[in-house]
Each structure stands twice: as structure tokens, then as C-alpha cells.
mmCIF file of all heavy atoms in Angstrom:
data_model
loop_
_atom_site.group_PDB
_atom_site.id
_atom_site.type_symbol
_atom_site.label_atom_id
_atom_site.label_comp_id
_atom_site.label_asym_id
_atom_site.label_seq_id
_atom_site.Cartn_x
_atom_site.Cartn_y
_atom_site.Cartn_z
ATOM 1 N N PHE A 1 -0.021 -8.062 6.145
ATOM 2 C CA PHE A 1 -0.409 -7.234 5.013
ATOM 3 C C PHE A 1 0.866 -6.564 4.530
ATOM 4 O O PHE A 1 1.436 -5.717 5.214
ATOM 5 C CB PHE A 1 -1.444 -6.187 5.423
ATOM 6 C CG PHE A 1 -1.940 -5.350 4.261
ATOM 7 C CD1 PHE A 1 -3.063 -5.719 3.546
ATOM 8 C CD2 PHE A 1 -1.264 -4.196 3.880
ATOM 9 C CE1 PHE A 1 -3.519 -4.956 2.480
ATOM 10 C CE2 PHE A 1 -1.706 -3.426 2.811
ATOM 11 C CZ PHE A 1 -2.835 -3.806 2.111
ATOM 12 N N VAL A 2 1.326 -6.993 3.364
ATOM 13 C CA VAL A 2 2.564 -6.467 2.800
ATOM 14 C C VAL A 2 2.197 -5.353 1.823
ATOM 15 O O VAL A 2 1.453 -5.583 0.858
ATOM 16 C CB VAL A 2 3.361 -7.569 2.079
ATOM 17 C CG1 VAL A 2 4.684 -7.003 1.561
ATOM 18 C CG2 VAL A 2 3.613 -8.743 3.019
ATOM 19 N N PHE A 3 2.689 -4.151 2.069
ATOM 20 C CA PHE A 3 2.433 -3.039 1.162
ATOM 21 C C PHE A 3 3.212 -3.287 -0.126
ATOM 22 O O PHE A 3 4.383 -2.939 -0.249
ATOM 23 C CB PHE A 3 2.840 -1.715 1.804
ATOM 24 C CG PHE A 3 1.851 -1.212 2.823
ATOM 25 C CD1 PHE A 3 1.951 -1.611 4.147
ATOM 26 C CD2 PHE A 3 0.810 -0.373 2.449
ATOM 27 C CE1 PHE A 3 1.035 -1.162 5.088
ATOM 28 C CE2 PHE A 3 -0.110 0.081 3.387
ATOM 29 C CZ PHE A 3 0.002 -0.314 4.706
ATOM 30 N N GLY A 4 2.531 -3.915 -1.074
ATOM 31 C CA GLY A 4 3.180 -4.287 -2.319
ATOM 32 C C GLY A 4 2.180 -4.471 -3.425
ATOM 33 O O GLY A 4 0.959 -4.275 -3.256
ATOM 34 N N GLU A 5 2.682 -4.883 -4.583
ATOM 35 C CA GLU A 5 1.862 -4.981 -5.785
ATOM 36 C C GLU A 5 0.707 -5.962 -5.636
ATOM 37 O O GLU A 5 -0.421 -5.700 -6.074
ATOM 38 C CB GLU A 5 2.733 -5.405 -6.983
ATOM 39 C CG GLU A 5 3.787 -4.399 -7.384
ATOM 40 C CD GLU A 5 5.116 -4.651 -6.680
ATOM 41 O OE1 GLU A 5 5.106 -5.300 -5.608
ATOM 42 O OE2 GLU A 5 6.154 -4.198 -7.186
ATOM 43 N N THR A 6 0.957 -7.109 -5.004
ATOM 44 C CA THR A 6 -0.066 -8.147 -4.955
ATOM 45 C C THR A 6 -1.293 -7.698 -4.165
ATOM 46 O O THR A 6 -2.424 -7.818 -4.633
ATOM 47 C CB THR A 6 0.512 -9.435 -4.343
ATOM 48 O OG1 THR A 6 1.604 -9.877 -5.141
ATOM 49 C CG2 THR A 6 -0.546 -10.522 -4.295
ATOM 50 N N ALA A 7 -1.098 -7.176 -2.958
ATOM 51 C CA ALA A 7 -2.238 -6.761 -2.137
ATOM 52 C C ALA A 7 -2.987 -5.601 -2.778
ATOM 53 O O ALA A 7 -4.224 -5.582 -2.804
ATOM 54 C CB ALA A 7 -1.760 -6.377 -0.742
ATOM 55 N N PHE A 8 -2.264 -4.618 -3.319
ATOM 56 C CA PHE A 8 -2.943 -3.452 -3.880
ATOM 57 C C PHE A 8 -3.622 -3.771 -5.208
ATOM 58 O O PHE A 8 -4.651 -3.177 -5.546
ATOM 59 C CB PHE A 8 -1.970 -2.279 -4.000
ATOM 60 C CG PHE A 8 -1.924 -1.428 -2.771
ATOM 61 C CD1 PHE A 8 -1.381 -1.917 -1.594
ATOM 62 C CD2 PHE A 8 -2.462 -0.153 -2.766
ATOM 63 C CE1 PHE A 8 -1.358 -1.149 -0.441
ATOM 64 C CE2 PHE A 8 -2.462 0.623 -1.616
ATOM 65 C CZ PHE A 8 -1.909 0.127 -0.443
ATOM 66 N N ALA A 9 -3.067 -4.705 -5.969
ATOM 67 C CA ALA A 9 -3.765 -5.140 -7.179
ATOM 68 C C ALA A 9 -5.047 -5.874 -6.815
ATOM 69 O O ALA A 9 -6.070 -5.751 -7.496
ATOM 70 C CB ALA A 9 -2.864 -6.033 -8.016
ATOM 71 N N ALA A 10 -5.026 -6.641 -5.726
ATOM 72 C CA ALA A 10 -6.219 -7.377 -5.300
ATOM 73 C C ALA A 10 -7.338 -6.433 -4.886
ATOM 74 O O ALA A 10 -8.523 -6.740 -5.081
ATOM 75 C CB ALA A 10 -5.873 -8.315 -4.151
ATOM 76 N N ILE A 11 -6.999 -5.286 -4.303
ATOM 77 C CA ILE A 11 -8.027 -4.339 -3.867
ATOM 78 C C ILE A 11 -8.274 -3.249 -4.910
ATOM 79 O O ILE A 11 -8.988 -2.281 -4.641
ATOM 80 C CB ILE A 11 -7.680 -3.711 -2.505
ATOM 81 C CG1 ILE A 11 -6.402 -2.872 -2.603
ATOM 82 C CG2 ILE A 11 -7.545 -4.779 -1.434
ATOM 83 C CD1 ILE A 11 -6.045 -2.148 -1.298
ATOM 84 N N CYS A 12 -7.676 -3.415 -6.098
ATOM 85 C CA CYS A 12 -7.867 -2.458 -7.207
ATOM 86 C C CYS A 12 -7.507 -1.042 -6.771
ATOM 87 O O CYS A 12 -8.233 -0.078 -7.040
ATOM 88 C CB CYS A 12 -9.304 -2.510 -7.727
ATOM 89 S SG CYS A 12 -9.833 -4.153 -8.273
ATOM 90 N N SER A 13 -6.386 -0.919 -6.093
ATOM 91 C CA SER A 13 -5.953 0.379 -5.585
ATOM 92 C C SER A 13 -4.558 0.709 -6.101
ATOM 93 O O SER A 13 -3.794 -0.191 -6.469
ATOM 94 C CB SER A 13 -5.964 0.367 -4.053
ATOM 95 O OG SER A 13 -5.612 1.624 -3.523
ATOM 96 N N ASP A 14 -4.237 1.979 -6.106
ATOM 97 C CA ASP A 14 -2.979 2.466 -6.666
ATOM 98 C C ASP A 14 -1.898 2.496 -5.585
ATOM 99 O O ASP A 14 -1.853 3.420 -4.771
ATOM 100 C CB ASP A 14 -3.184 3.859 -7.253
ATOM 101 C CG ASP A 14 -1.962 4.378 -8.006
ATOM 102 O OD1 ASP A 14 -0.941 3.670 -8.046
ATOM 103 O OD2 ASP A 14 -2.043 5.495 -8.552
ATOM 104 N N LEU A 15 -1.035 1.493 -5.585
ATOM 105 C CA LEU A 15 0.054 1.449 -4.615
ATOM 106 C C LEU A 15 0.970 2.648 -4.760
ATOM 107 O O LEU A 15 1.432 3.221 -3.766
ATOM 108 C CB LEU A 15 0.861 0.154 -4.789
ATOM 109 C CG LEU A 15 2.156 0.070 -3.986
ATOM 110 C CD1 LEU A 15 1.857 0.004 -2.495
ATOM 111 C CD2 LEU A 15 2.991 -1.144 -4.421
ATOM 112 N N LEU A 16 1.264 3.042 -5.986
ATOM 113 C CA LEU A 16 2.238 4.102 -6.217
ATOM 114 C C LEU A 16 1.799 5.429 -5.621
ATOM 115 O O LEU A 16 2.640 6.286 -5.312
ATOM 116 C CB LEU A 16 2.506 4.256 -7.713
ATOM 117 C CG LEU A 16 3.046 3.023 -8.426
ATOM 118 C CD1 LEU A 16 3.380 3.347 -9.875
ATOM 119 C CD2 LEU A 16 4.269 2.467 -7.718
ATOM 120 N N ALA A 17 0.497 5.618 -5.424
ATOM 121 C CA ALA A 17 -0.004 6.868 -4.862
ATOM 122 C C ALA A 17 -0.081 6.840 -3.339
ATOM 123 O O ALA A 17 -0.386 7.866 -2.717
ATOM 124 C CB ALA A 17 -1.392 7.176 -5.433
ATOM 125 N N TYR A 18 0.207 5.694 -2.724
ATOM 126 C CA TYR A 18 0.029 5.567 -1.273
ATOM 127 C C TYR A 18 1.214 6.197 -0.537
ATOM 128 O O TYR A 18 2.377 5.922 -0.859
ATOM 129 C CB TYR A 18 -0.113 4.103 -0.872
ATOM 130 C CG TYR A 18 -0.696 3.934 0.504
ATOM 131 C CD1 TYR A 18 -2.064 4.043 0.718
ATOM 132 C CD2 TYR A 18 0.119 3.687 1.604
ATOM 133 C CE1 TYR A 18 -2.612 3.897 1.976
ATOM 134 C CE2 TYR A 18 -0.415 3.540 2.876
ATOM 135 C CZ TYR A 18 -1.782 3.652 3.062
ATOM 136 O OH TYR A 18 -2.317 3.511 4.316
ATOM 137 N N PRO A 19 0.964 7.033 0.485
ATOM 138 C CA PRO A 19 2.046 7.718 1.199
ATOM 139 C C PRO A 19 2.886 6.753 2.038
ATOM 140 O O PRO A 19 2.352 5.888 2.737
ATOM 141 C CB PRO A 19 1.306 8.713 2.097
ATOM 142 C CG PRO A 19 -0.079 8.826 1.526
ATOM 143 C CD PRO A 19 -0.377 7.492 0.925
ATOM 144 N N LEU A 20 4.201 6.915 1.983
ATOM 145 C CA LEU A 20 5.090 6.090 2.799
ATOM 146 C C LEU A 20 4.826 6.281 4.282
ATOM 147 O O LEU A 20 4.892 5.330 5.065
ATOM 148 C CB LEU A 20 6.547 6.432 2.483
ATOM 149 C CG LEU A 20 7.087 5.999 1.124
ATOM 150 C CD1 LEU A 20 8.526 6.462 0.959
ATOM 151 C CD2 LEU A 20 6.999 4.497 0.967
ATOM 152 N N SER A 21 4.539 7.511 4.693
ATOM 153 C CA SER A 21 4.322 7.771 6.118
ATOM 154 C C SER A 21 3.136 6.987 6.651
ATOM 155 O O SER A 21 3.156 6.506 7.790
ATOM 156 C CB SER A 21 4.129 9.270 6.363
ATOM 157 O OG SER A 21 3.081 9.775 5.564
ATOM 158 N N ASP A 22 2.086 6.822 5.849
ATOM 159 C CA ASP A 22 0.918 6.063 6.298
ATOM 160 C C ASP A 22 1.224 4.572 6.391
ATOM 161 O O ASP A 22 0.753 3.885 7.301
ATOM 162 C CB ASP A 22 -0.257 6.304 5.360
ATOM 163 C CG ASP A 22 -0.884 7.669 5.562
ATOM 164 O OD1 ASP A 22 -0.433 8.624 4.914
ATOM 165 O OD2 ASP A 22 -1.805 7.771 6.381
ATOM 166 N N ALA A 23 2.008 4.053 5.440
ATOM 167 C CA ALA A 23 2.374 2.638 5.491
ATOM 168 C C ALA A 23 3.214 2.346 6.726
ATOM 169 O O ALA A 23 3.005 1.343 7.418
ATOM 170 C CB ALA A 23 3.134 2.250 4.228
ATOM 171 N N VAL A 24 4.179 3.209 7.020
ATOM 172 C CA VAL A 24 5.031 3.012 8.197
ATOM 173 C C VAL A 24 4.207 3.145 9.469
ATOM 174 O O VAL A 24 4.393 2.386 10.430
ATOM 175 C CB VAL A 24 6.206 4.002 8.177
ATOM 176 C CG1 VAL A 24 6.999 3.935 9.478
ATOM 177 C CG2 VAL A 24 7.120 3.713 6.990
ATOM 178 N N ALA A 25 3.287 4.107 9.500
ATOM 179 C CA ALA A 25 2.423 4.264 10.674
ATOM 180 C C ALA A 25 1.576 3.018 10.898
ATOM 181 O O ALA A 25 1.371 2.596 12.045
ATOM 182 C CB ALA A 25 1.532 5.491 10.508
ATOM 183 N N ALA A 26 1.096 2.396 9.815
ATOM 184 C CA ALA A 26 0.332 1.158 9.958
ATOM 185 C C ALA A 26 1.208 0.051 10.518
ATOM 186 O O ALA A 26 0.787 -0.721 11.392
ATOM 187 C CB ALA A 26 -0.237 0.741 8.602
ATOM 188 N N SER A 27 2.428 -0.045 10.043
ATOM 189 C CA SER A 27 3.346 -1.083 10.498
ATOM 190 C C SER A 27 3.677 -0.946 11.971
ATOM 191 O O SER A 27 3.986 -1.935 12.635
ATOM 192 C CB SER A 27 4.632 -1.024 9.665
ATOM 193 O OG SER A 27 5.523 -2.052 10.032
#
């Protein structure tokens, strides 16, 4: 799961609003 435009567009979600700390914690 790559935190990027393609995945977030597919789920109709706002990538730009997603916190970096949460993405890194998921990774």
C-alpha cells in the first residue's frame, strides 16, 4: 500500500490531509 495519489484516489480520500506520522507508523 503506497501512500500516494493512486491509492487515495481509488478510496475517494484526501491524501493531502493525511498525517505523515500516521503513514510512517503504518509502514
Side-chain angles (χ1 to χ4, degrees):
F1 183 92
V2 183
F3 283 88
E5 295 92 338
T6 300
F8 271 69
I11 64 177
C12 303
S13 183
D14 187 358
L15 171 67
L16 301 185
Y18 197 80
L20 289 178
S21 55
D22 285 89
V24 173
S27 183

